[in-house]
């Protein structure tokens, strides 16, 4: 009798565990834009460690449940992060509006080509400027293989503030979303394509999805100073190992 009860208990426990693991259901969705039909890109469910492709008509299917975080990324549109609600998962066709790539965001990142304006009382923007080496600077051996580190250490915090100013002109944007965008733009601007393509072995259309995946980790917000460039690189290399393990689901 005791053995039967034990077996029954084990069976019930297994059913509960399996029920929890299989609580995600297929989410049928569509990405849309007012001006362009989006028919390519990636969608990742961070919590389920799975990603899928955006197909014809912007349609996609991915396993999900409420409170899961979805990352949307593609070459034609601005990356986006959404935390699913009960209502989202109950939709017959969950629609997500995506904005086209905004070149203005790239201008927020401080480049060495910025021109110096006449002096005034506000000196902050001079702090943000970057300058080429002069005759007194230590010579840089450009013939040696690049270590892919950041040559011009832009201040992340300043970028966050500038990006938020730009985005707030259109709508009220949450701080974490601004931070995600700032991280993506900063990392793309300050690491070479070879770092992503050769060192991390990422395809061009995977880079932004990978950076969104990195920015979703609170650890990324610790590397906001130019002095942390090596820590940032090490962080991205380790996150790439996780990224490569994420399963790709086929429609």
């Amino acid at each position: 009798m005791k053995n039967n009860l034990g077996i029954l208990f084990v069976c019930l426990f297994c059913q509960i565990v399996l029920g929890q693991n299989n609580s995600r259901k297929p989410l049928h969705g569509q990405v849309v834009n007012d001006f362009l039909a989006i028919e390519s890109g990636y969608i990742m469910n961070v919590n389920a460690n799975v990603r899928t492709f955006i197909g014809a008509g912007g349609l996609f299917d991915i396993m999900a449940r409420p409170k899961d975080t979805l990352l949307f990324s593609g070459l034609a549109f601005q990356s986006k992060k959404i935390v699913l609600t009960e209502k989202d998962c109950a939709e017959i066709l969950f629609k997500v509006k995506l904005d086209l790539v905004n070149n203005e965001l790239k201008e927020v990142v401080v480049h060495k080509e910025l021109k110096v304006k006449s002096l005034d009382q506000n000196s902050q923007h001079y702090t943000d400027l970057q300058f080429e080496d002069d005759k007194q600077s230590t010579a840089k051996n450009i013939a040696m293989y690049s270590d892919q580190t950041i040559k011009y250490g832009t201040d992340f915090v300043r970028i966050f503030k500038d990006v938020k100013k730009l985005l707030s002109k259109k709508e009220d944007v949450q701080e974490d979303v601004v931070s995600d965008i700032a991280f993506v733009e900063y990392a793309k601007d300050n690491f070479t394509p070879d770092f992503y393509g050769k060192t991390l072995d990422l395809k061009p259309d995977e880079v932004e999805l990978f950076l969104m995946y990195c920015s979703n980790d609170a650890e990324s917000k610790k590397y906001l100073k130019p002095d942390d460039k090596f820590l940032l690189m090490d962080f991205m290399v380790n996150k790439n190992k996780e990224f490569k393990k994420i399963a790709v689901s086929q429609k």
Side-chain angles (χ1 to χ4, degrees), residues 117-135:
K117 299 181 180 179
S118 58
L119 292 173
D120 55 35
Q121 294 180 349
N122 180 14
S123 61
Q124 179 59 57
H125 63 275
Y126 298 112
T127 304
D128 296 334
L129 291 176
Q130 316 242 331
F131 301 94
E132 286 286 5
D133 299 336
D134 56 26
K135 292 182 179 179

Side-chain angles (χ1 to χ4, degrees), residues 7-23:
I7 294 173
L8 179 61
F9 175 77
V10 171
C11 291
L12 290 173
F13 178 77
C14 291
Q15 287 181 346
I16 293 173
V17 172
L18 290 174
Q20 291 177 340
N21 291 336
N22 296 325
S23 60

Side-chain angles (χ1 to χ4, degrees), residues 25 64 75-76 114 135 166-167 173 187 223 245 247:
K25 299 179 180 180
L75 296 176
L114 287 179
K135 292 182 179 179
L166 177 64
L167 294 179
V173 182
Y223 311 117
K245 295 179 181 179

Side-chain angles (χ1 to χ4, degrees), residues 5-47:
L5 290 174
I7 294 173
L8 179 61
F9 175 77
V10 171
C11 291
L12 290 173
F13 178 77
C14 291
Q15 287 181 346
I16 293 173
V17 172
L18 290 174
Q20 291 177 340
N21 291 336
N22 296 325
S23 60
R24 289 188 173 87
K25 299 179 180 180
L27 177 67
H28 308 293
Q30 181 183 29
V31 293
V32 297
N33 179 267
D34 293 336
F35 306 101
L36 180 70
I38 299 175
E39 298 187 339
S40 63
Y42 291 97
I43 300 171
M44 177 189 294
N45 186 329
V46 178
N47 303 86

Side-chain angles (χ1 to χ4, degrees), residues 50-53 61-63 247-251:
V50 64
R51 60 172 171 159
T52 189
F53 301 98
D61 290 292
I62 194 167
M63 299 299 292
V248 178
S249 63
Q250 301 294 335
K251 295 179 69 175

Side-chain angles (χ1 to χ4, degrees), residues 154-163 182 221 224-225:
T154 307
D155 187 350
F156 254 143
V157 178
R158 294 297 305 171
I159 295 177
F160 288 169
K161 291 180 180 178
D162 290 340
V163 172
K221 307 305 184 293
L224 307 182
K225 300 178 181 179

